[in-house]
C-alpha cells in the first residue's frame, strides 16, 4: 500500500509515516510511536465503513439476496428473524462486494461488535455457515505468548488463593472467578 501506484496511496507524508510505523504491529496508546489510530483512520478514509454495531445489527449472507434472483424464502426469512431477533438486518449485497475495501471500525464506540462472530454473522446456507465456523475454529487463534501469559496469571492466582486457605478443586480451578473491567468503567 506504500509503493507508487498502489491501490490506496497515502498522499499526506505524516500520515504515511505513522501508518508505516504501525502497519505490522501497533499499540492502542496515543503516545506510542506505533499508535494504531492512524492505521484505523486511514482505513476509514479509503474504505467503506458499514454502519453496523454488534448489539444493534446482524449481518446476513444469502445467495438469493446477493444475486438478486429471488426473494428470500419464508423458511430462510424465519431463520433470519430468529437469529437477529430485535436487531436490524443487513444483507451482504453485490454493491458491498464491489467495494474495494470494507473496514469494520470495531474500535469506535458506534461500531463496536463486542460479541462473537457467530452471533453477528449468519449464512443462510447451513453448509456455508458450518464452513466458516470451522474455519474460525481451526485457523484463528491467540498467539502462544498470550496463552503462556494467561497460564502464569492463573498459576499466580491459584498460589495466592492457596495462601489464603482456598484449595484447588479436581479441575485445578479452586473456585476461581474473574471480572472483565474496561478502563473508564469504574
Amino acid at each position: 500500500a506504500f509503493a507508487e501506484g498502489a491501490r490506496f496511496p497515502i498522499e499526506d507524508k505524516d500520515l504515511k509515516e505513522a501508518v508505516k510505523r504501525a502497519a505490522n504491529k501497533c499499540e492502542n496508546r496515543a503516545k506510542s510511536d506505533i499508535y494504531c489510530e492512524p492505521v484505523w483512520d486511514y482505513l476509514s478514509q479509503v474504505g467503506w465503513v458499514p454502519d453496523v454495531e454488534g448489539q444493534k445489527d446482524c449481518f446476513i449472507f444469502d445467495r438469493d439476496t446477493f444475486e438478486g434472483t429471488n426473494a428470500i424464502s419464508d423458511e430462510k426469512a424465519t431463520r433470519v428473524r430468529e437469529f437477529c431477533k430485535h436487531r436490524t438486518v443487513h444483507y451482504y449485497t453485490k454493491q458491498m462486494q464491489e467495494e474495494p475495501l470494507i473496514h469494520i471500525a470495531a474500535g469506535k464506540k458506534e461500531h463496536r461488535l463486542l460479541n462473537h462472530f457467530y452471533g453477528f454473522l449468519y449464512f443462510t446456507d447451513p453448509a456455508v455457515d458450518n464452513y466458516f465456523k470451522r474455519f474460525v475454529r481451526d485457523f484463528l487463534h491467540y498467539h502462544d505468548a498470550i496463552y503462556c501469559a494467561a497460564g502464569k496469571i492463573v498459576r499466580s492466582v491459584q498460589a495466592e488463593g492457596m495462601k489464603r486457605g482456598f484449595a484447588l478443586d479436581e479441575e485445578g480451578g479452586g473456585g476461581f472467578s474473574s471480572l472483565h473491567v474496561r478502563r473508564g468503567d469504574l
Side-chain angles (χ1 to χ4, degrees):
F2 305 114
E4 294 303 318
R7 189 164 185 184
F8 302 108
I10 303 174
E11 304 300 329
D12 180 282
K13 284 188 176 195
D14 292 336
L15 176 60
K16 187 174 189 173
E17 286 306 311
V19 169
K20 275 185 180 180
R21 284 193 305 271
N24 292 324
K25 178 182 177 183
C26 66
E27 297 175 355
N28 199 15
R29 293 182 310 116
K31 293 184 179 183
S32 173
D33 285 342
I34 55 172
Y35 184 37
C36 301
E37 192 72 23
V39 176
W40 298 331
D41 287 345
Y42 169 67
L43 293 172
S44 294
Q45 289 171 19
V46 298
W48 174 64
V49 181
D51 187 19
V52 293
E53 183 183 340
Q55 302 302 314
K56 296 178 182 175
D57 302 284
C58 59
F59 218 79
I60 309 300
F61 293 83
D62 178 69
R63 175 170 283 145
D64 293 334
T65 303
F66 179 82
E67 295 293 338
T69 53
N70 300 316
I72 190 166
S73 71
D74 289 343
E75 177 203 345
K76 286 181 183 178
T78 299
R79 285 187 295 163
V80 167
R81 277 192 305 275
E82 288 171 1
F83 178 80
C84 294
K85 295 186 177 33
H86 63 278
R87 298 176 293 168
T88 302
V89 177
H90 298 273
Y91 285 94
Y92 187 72
T93 64
K94 281 189 176 185
Q95 291 80 12
M96 292 177 192
Q97 178 73 26
E98 291 169 4
E99 291 289 341
L101 174 69
I102 298 174
H103 175 58
I104 297 178
K108 302 286 185 187
K109 199 172 212 172
E110 62 273 13
H111 298 291
R112 287 232 170 99
L113 295 182
L114 289 181
N115 54 0
H116 298 286
F117 78 96
Y118 50 80
F120 176 69
L121 302 175
Y122 180 69
F123 297 86
T124 58
D125 180 338
V128 175
D129 195 51
N130 288 333
Y131 172 84
F132 282 105
K133 286 175 181 170
R134 284 191 306 271
F135 181 87
V136 170
R137 178 198 66 202
D138 294 344
F139 296 106
L140 299 181
H141 300 277
Y142 288 113
H143 292 280
D144 288 344
I146 292 174
Y147 283 110
C148 289
K152 290 175 184 176
I153 292 167
V154 168
R155 213 175 14 249
S156 175
V157 169
Q158 288 172 331
E160 182 66 28
M162 286 190 285
K163 282 184 203 171
R164 294 175 183 232
F166 294 97
L168 295 180
D169 61 20
E170 63 276 355
E171 293 179 351
F176 170 74
S177 297
S178 70
L179 175 67
H180 176 88
V181 179
R182 292 184 308 272
R183 290 178 297 210
D185 280 359
L186 296 177

